[in-house]
Every structure is written in structure tokens, then in C-alpha cells.
Amino acid sequence: MSRFTIFPAIVLVAVGLTLGSTTFADDQDDADRGPRALILQADFSGMVMAGVAYSVDPTIDVFNVRPLIPLYNIAAASESLAYNAQTWPAGTVFVSVVDPGVGTPRKSVVLRTKNDLYFVSPDNGSLSGPADAYGIKAVREIDESVNRREGTGWAHTFHGRDVYSYTGARLAAGVISFEQVGPLLPAEVVELARETGSYDNGVFEGHVAGGLGRLGNIYFNIPRGLFAEDQASYGDLYDVVISRGDKPVFDGTVPYARSFGSVPVGDNLLFVDSSGNVSLAVNQGNFAEKYGIGAGVDWRVRLQRR
């Protein structure tokens, strides 16, 4: 029996999957022949996309990433794909629909990574995260003359329903091979401009890169490797200033901690999150909501150990 499962975006784990009726095209290699799951993420409620998948093959295992990606936030879509894909087996198909340019000439593609994961998405920067994390094996443009729901050629504003979930489901179910997605493109995707934080004379500077979801644990573009240069020990105190433009929004002293339970409930902590980024949180609270923090390059952070 098929199933539709909603998973929080931050706690997806690898599972054993069986697609009893799945068959695969003869031209697919060994990495294509295993059981597959179809993962959906979007910046809107994607139940209709799950329906499209089941119309292709009712035995597909469909998982929906929750919470939703913030509206139009291509960078968040990219980060979510890179993070959530890390535990899934080869052959898994991901569909990402954060597509503010729907109906424009941006390409609709399937990225195959070097570890044989498949990502179906507009090529608008959403794929830069998984491409960087797992490498690019090949990219194909979706041929909508064959990989589009019948009778939807008139619709120009919902490719997530009519093209992406349909193509992803056909790929996951083995109805088509990767080669049958469409023509081969150069092995590249649109890359988002990214900035890594800096460390100079004991001071870290960067910006809030994300973390505005249900938990509100914000994280910075300061990776753990860079943070290690400060040689901090658990319990060290850091002066933290988060500003938007010239206006400080948060100014406080926070302990560097191993994990949430290292500080009392309701207290703030500085820690390295499970993706390897320097982060701020409230133990059993929502830091972003409590202090009115947003994300983006205009939300600057300055950290210095006392």
C-alpha cells in the first residue's frame, strides 16, 4: 500500500522503502534500479502535487517536507534540499517548487548528482545547494512534449503540478529513465551568490543565513571550520550583535554551549548546529520570533569572545 507522509524539514531520516510494482527501463544503470521515494517541497501547500504523483503510480511512497519553504525564498529551497537529501539512498527523487519566475524562460530541469540523487526543479538557484553538496553528474532539461500532464499546455503558472511533480513521479516509478527526461544540458546549474563570514583579530562578522521556521534557531554564514579558529571552549561567553542596516536588533552576551540542555530553559545559547553552522537559539523557545530576527545579507552579525 502506498503512503503519503509529512516530515518536518529538519528531521527527515533515511528509511527502507519498497515499491512493489515498480519496474525500470532497460537503459538505466545499477544506481537507478533500487526502490525510490518521491520527496516534495514547496512554498505552498503541495497536496495537489502528491495527487499528481499517485495518478502516475499509486504505489509511490511520497514524503512532503514541512514546514513550508518561505514564500519565494529560493535560497531557503536550496539549503533545504542540500540538508534533507543527506540521508536518502541513491535513486531518491526530490521535487522542489519555489518558482517565482514560473512561466518565464527559466529552464525546467532534473539534476542528477554524483551520489545518484535526482532533483526536479526550475533552474533558478534552487539547485545550487545540492549541486555544491553532492556534485553534478548530469543535468537534463524536461521535455514538456512528453513529460507534462495531458491537457495542461494552456496553464503557465503551476509547473509544480503540471511538470515537476509529474516528471518526478514518472522518474521515481520507473515509467521513464533519466535519459528520457529530455535533452542533456551542460553539467551546471544556476548558482546563488553566497558569502562566507569572516574572522579577523578575534571578531567574526557575517549575516543571518536562515533558521526562521518553527524552531527559530537562527544560523549564520559562519561555518564550524571558521569558528574553530577562535579555539572556543564550552562555557565561553560571546558578545553578539545582530543588526539590520545600522539598527541593532539584538545585543547580548551568550554562552557557547554543546547543546540546548546545556543552559536553563528559556536561556539563549550559541552553538554549532547539525549542518555545521554557528547558530543562536533559546532552549525550548524560538529565538527568531522572540527577538524579531529576519534572514538575509542585510541582517548582519558580529561575534566576539570575551
Side-chain angles (χ1 to χ4, degrees):
M1 180 179 294
S2 63
R3 66 176 182 267
F4 176 72
T5 305
I6 295 176
F7 273 122
I10 59 169
V11 294
L12 286 173
V13 295
V15 295
L17 302 169
T18 302
L19 303 181
S21 63
T22 299
T23 58
F24 295 92
D26 291 338
D27 60 349
Q28 291 172 286
D29 62 29
D30 289 341
D32 292 315
R33 294 182 181 275
R36 298 190 179 191
L38 181 67
I39 318 298
L40 304 176
Q41 75 167 25
D43 58 355
F44 59 92
S45 179
M47 293 295 184
V48 67
M49 296 196 301
V52 169
Y54 286 136
S55 73
V56 171
D57 184 343
T59 70
I60 292 176
D61 286 294
V62 180
F63 299 85
N64 213 13
V65 173
R66 289 291 189 270
L68 298 176
I69 303 299
L71 277 171
Y72 317 124
N73 195 325
I74 293 170
S78 171
E79 292 170 4
S80 176
L81 287 175
Y83 177 82
N84 286 316
Q86 64 184 301
T87 56
W88 289 86
T92 301
V93 179
F94 298 81
V95 173
S96 179
V97 187
V98 179
D99 194 13
V102 63
T104 68
R106 92 283 177 265
K107 285 183 168 58
S108 298
V109 304
V110 179
L111 161 68
R112 182 176 182 176
T113 56
K114 290 182 178 179
N115 58 344
D116 293 308
L117 301 174
Y118 298 86
F119 297 86
V120 185
S121 172
D123 188 18
N124 60 1
S126 294
L127 298 173
S128 57
D132 290 348
Y134 311 114
I136 299 175
K137 178 177 282 189
V139 179
R140 290 185 177 271
E141 184 171 8
I142 298 173
D143 181 355
E144 294 186 23
S145 69
V146 292
N147 291 311
R148 182 179 181 127
R149 290 177 63 232
E150 186 176 354
T152 65
W154 57 270
H156 308 296
T157 58
F158 202 172
H159 287 173
R161 177 195 66 189
D162 300 331
V163 179
Y164 302 139
S165 56
Y166 182 71
T167 301
R170 282 161 63 83
L171 189 58
V175 175
I176 60 172
S177 67
F178 179 61
E179 288 74 15
Q180 293 170 315
V181 165
L184 191 66
L185 297 174
E188 59 189 27
V189 295
V190 172
E191 290 281 349
L192 295 174
R194 283 188 289 273
E195 169 193 331
T196 299
S198 64
Y199 178 67
D200 183 48
N201 198 28
V203 177
F204 292 97
E205 293 189 346
H207 67 261
V208 180
L212 308 185
R214 187 170 175 227
L215 293 175
N217 302 334
I218 66 170
Y219 62 90
F220 310 115
N221 64 333
I222 301 173
R224 64 187 179 93
L226 180 62
F227 187 67
E229 294 185 24
D230 204 39
Q231 299 182 341
S233 299
Y234 295 133
D236 287 348
L237 297 178
Y238 276 81
D239 292 326
V240 182
V241 179
I242 300 173
S243 303
R244 189 174 192 187
D246 296 328
K247 180 183 177 182
V249 178
F250 175 85
D251 187 343
T253 301
V254 183
Y256 171 50
R258 178 187 176 105
S259 188
F260 310 106
S262 302
V263 301
V265 173
D267 280 11
N268 300 328
L269 65 146
L270 183 76
F271 68 108
V272 176
D273 68 15
S274 59
S275 293
N277 302 305
V278 175
S279 303
L280 277 177
V282 179
N283 184 16
Q284 299 185 34
N286 186 309
F287 190 93
E289 185 178 277
K290 181 176 181 179
Y291 296 104
I293 305 295
V297 295
D298 56 332
W299 286 87
R300 307 302 301 179
V301 63
R302 186 180 190 275
L303 306 174
Q304 183 170 19
R305 183 158 52 111
R306 283 197 165 187

